[in-house]
Amino acid sequence: MSTQRTQRTPRPRRAAVTGIGVIAPNGLRTDAYWKSVSEGVGVLDRITREGCGHLPLRVAGEVRAFDAAALIEDRFLVQTDRFSHFAMAAAALALDDAGLGSGDPAEPFSIGVVTAAGSGGGEFGQRELQKLWGQGPRFVGPYQSIAWFYAASTGQISIRGGFKGPCGVVASDEAGGLDSLAHAAGAVRRGTDTMIVGAAEAPLAPYSMVCQLGYPELSTAEDPDLAYRPFTSDACGFVPAEGGALLVVEDEERARERGAPVRATVAGHAATFTGASRWEESREGLARAIRGALDEAGAAPEEIDVVFADAMGVPEADRAEALAIADALGTHGTRVPVTAPKTGFGRAHCAAPVLDTVAAVLAMEHGQVPPTPNVFDICHDLDLVMSRARPAELRTALVLSRGLMGSNAALVVRRGGESVR
């Protein structure tokens, strides 16, 4: 008599968001960030950083109350730039939020790190180059070789935490913030238990600002209330910002086994490329990314409850985004609530869509679509949420991002506990 064994089909692993850490111009922790975002508080102001007063870029989103020395050990502080300080601080907050703490991990090879970066360590690099030309090569510190590099935050977070799982950096334009989340979700689906993922930027040092001045999309308006007004007839470009966010993304079943609340799941992502400043062409590229993200998530257009817009603030780009939403979502695209909280604190390059993803997760938790600060009179066929937050039952959110060099990305996130319908 033979006994036939029944083989169980392995359960597909889902990537769950269990921890969030934010260092932003409008809040140094997640609760402060959400309070500001949900109330539509604007914190854009005149740039106060040393050495920037003579530059035509006048307004930005600065992180003004951040004390790196109080949050990061000296041995890491001296070898890293401000953008890595933001990233390390946000990563520690995210780990604490996820209940993973800051001690040595029990299984270091099960935890990986992936970040995105666009501006790199400009402040550190500028300081060392000034030493080179003013005092000579012997005065240049050895960490100049690594602190400016885009991968520095990934490396320092993994070294500081003792994480030995898959690590990487995404350098795919501003949309890389969403791409990094997709990389982390993919690593979880392939077997990694936990990923620390996100982006932080510090583009307000003089050298970094001069580099940005080559972008025609940059707003040089002097009035903080008028400098960043996407989707309006007065749109004059975007306002840059520093700061960012890191998330803990882990296998959903493992998270539930250890009692960690599942705040959201990363359901779908897609990316395309349409070329630098080709904003009319970004309509098709962004629409294709949206459709791809919906397909991966198994979501119909009408299931999207809120859209967090890229909101470039350039008339051609804004028009292309509004049309892309309509192209991909059909008639639902003109009815779904759309928001762009970043108009209140600035567009932090690769960190911008990560901060939007955080806002999307918090919006689903709180049942509120946050408003779009400083925007009151739109000229596109969108249901843009303005003035005050809008109560809503939110189960599925769509986050959009485009880069100045032509990358487009879309991400679908679902509220914790929601399943594919």
Side-chain angles (χ1 to χ4, degrees):
M1 182 176 179
S2 62
T3 302
Q4 185 176 5
R5 291 187 176 181
T6 301
Q7 292 185 342
R8 297 177 60 186
T9 302
R11 159 196 73 79
R13 292 165 62 95
R14 291 208 304 174
V17 176
T18 59
I20 297 173
V22 174
I23 302 291
N26 60 340
L28 298 184
R29 300 181 70 89
T30 305
D31 52 354
Y33 171 72
W34 173 248
K35 185 177 188 299
S36 177
V37 165
S38 63
E39 294 178 359
V41 175
V43 298
L44 296 179
D45 207 342
R46 298 296 292 263
I47 296 171
T48 63
R49 300 293 299 280
E50 184 178 356
C52 299
H54 66 291
L55 298 173
L57 178 60
R58 303 296 188 185
V59 175
E62 292 187 10
V63 178
R64 298 193 175 185
F66 180 73
D67 183 2
L71 299 170
I72 299 164
E73 303 88 332
D74 286 345
R75 67 189 182 97
F76 291 105
L77 206 60
V78 298
Q79 58 185 278
T80 49
D81 180 79
R82 185 173 172 86
F83 90 109
S84 292
H85 301 164
F86 292 149
M88 285 189 283
L93 290 172
L95 287 163
D96 286 343
D97 186 45
L100 294 174
S102 57
D104 292 335
E107 299 178 25
F109 289 97
S110 70
I111 304 176
V113 182
V114 59
T115 65
S119 59
E123 183 177 86
F124 193 108
Q126 177 179 335
R127 183 177 68 240
E128 297 304 309
L129 288 174
Q130 287 176 328
K131 290 179 182 178
L132 172 65
W133 296 113
Q135 298 172 273
R138 292 187 179 182
F139 292 87
V140 177
Y143 299 115
Q144 162 67 358
S145 61
I146 60 171
W148 68 271
F149 191 45
Y150 304 104
S153 294
T154 289
Q156 298 292 358
I157 291 169
S158 62
I159 292 169
R160 188 186 189 207
F163 308 134
K164 301 180 180 180
C167 291
V169 61
V170 178
S172 59
D173 220 347
E174 284 91 331
L178 294 188
D179 296 343
S180 70
L181 290 165
H183 277 262
V188 168
R189 287 193 290 268
R190 290 188 296 270
T192 302
D193 289 333
T194 305
M195 295 291 293
I196 293 93
V197 56
E201 302 271 22
L204 302 183
Y207 167 77
S208 300
M209 287 174 57
V210 169
C211 292
Q212 292 175 82
L213 289 173
Y215 297 133
E217 295 86 357
L218 192 74
S219 172
T220 55
E222 298 194 12
D223 186 337
D225 293 335
L226 302 177
Y228 187 18
R229 303 187 68 228
F231 304 115
T232 73
S233 57
D234 295 322
C236 59
F238 73 90
V239 168
E242 59 182 356
L246 273 290
L247 288 73
V248 173
V249 175
E250 57 184 306
D251 174 49
E252 182 181 24
E253 186 171 291
R254 183 178 177 87
R256 295 191 186 282
E257 286 175 354
R258 68 179 187 86
V262 172
R263 308 189 70 164
T265 56
V266 180
H269 166 271
T272 62
F273 180 79
T274 48
S277 298
R278 297 178 180 177
W279 297 120
E280 288 187 9
E281 295 176 31
S282 75
R283 170 184 178 177
E284 180 183 6
L286 187 60
R288 284 180 176 270
I290 294 171
R291 294 189 190 104
L294 292 175
D295 288 345
E296 186 174 271
E302 59 271 16
E303 290 182 58
I304 299 300
D305 298 312
V306 61
V307 176
F308 283 77
D310 174 62
M312 181 66 70
V314 175
E316 298 84 359
D318 294 343
R319 180 176 183 274
E321 182 171 22
L323 293 172
I325 292 171
D327 292 344
L329 301 185
T331 57
H332 184 62
T334 61
R335 299 192 301 264
V336 64
V338 177
T339 185
K342 62 171 74 76
T343 62
F345 57 87
R347 182 185 176 94
H349 296 293
C350 283
V354 183
L355 286 165
D356 279 344
T357 302
V358 169
V361 172
L362 297 170
M364 290 189 289
E365 289 182 349
H366 291 272
Q368 283 188 326
V369 180
T372 306
N374 299 323
V375 175
F376 309 103
D377 51 344
I378 66 169
C379 59
H380 299 280
D381 193 10
L382 292 172
D383 182 15
L384 192 72
V385 179
M386 299 175 284
S387 299
R388 60 179 61 87
R390 182 186 301 178
E393 179 71 16
L394 305 176
R395 296 185 178 88
T396 306
L398 175 66
V399 184
L400 306 180
S401 182
R402 290 170 300 177
L404 296 170
M405 295 296 102
S407 295
N408 314 287
L411 185 78
V412 175
V413 288
R414 284 197 171 92
R415 188 173 65 187
E418 294 293 327
S419 59
V420 177
R421 290 176 280 177

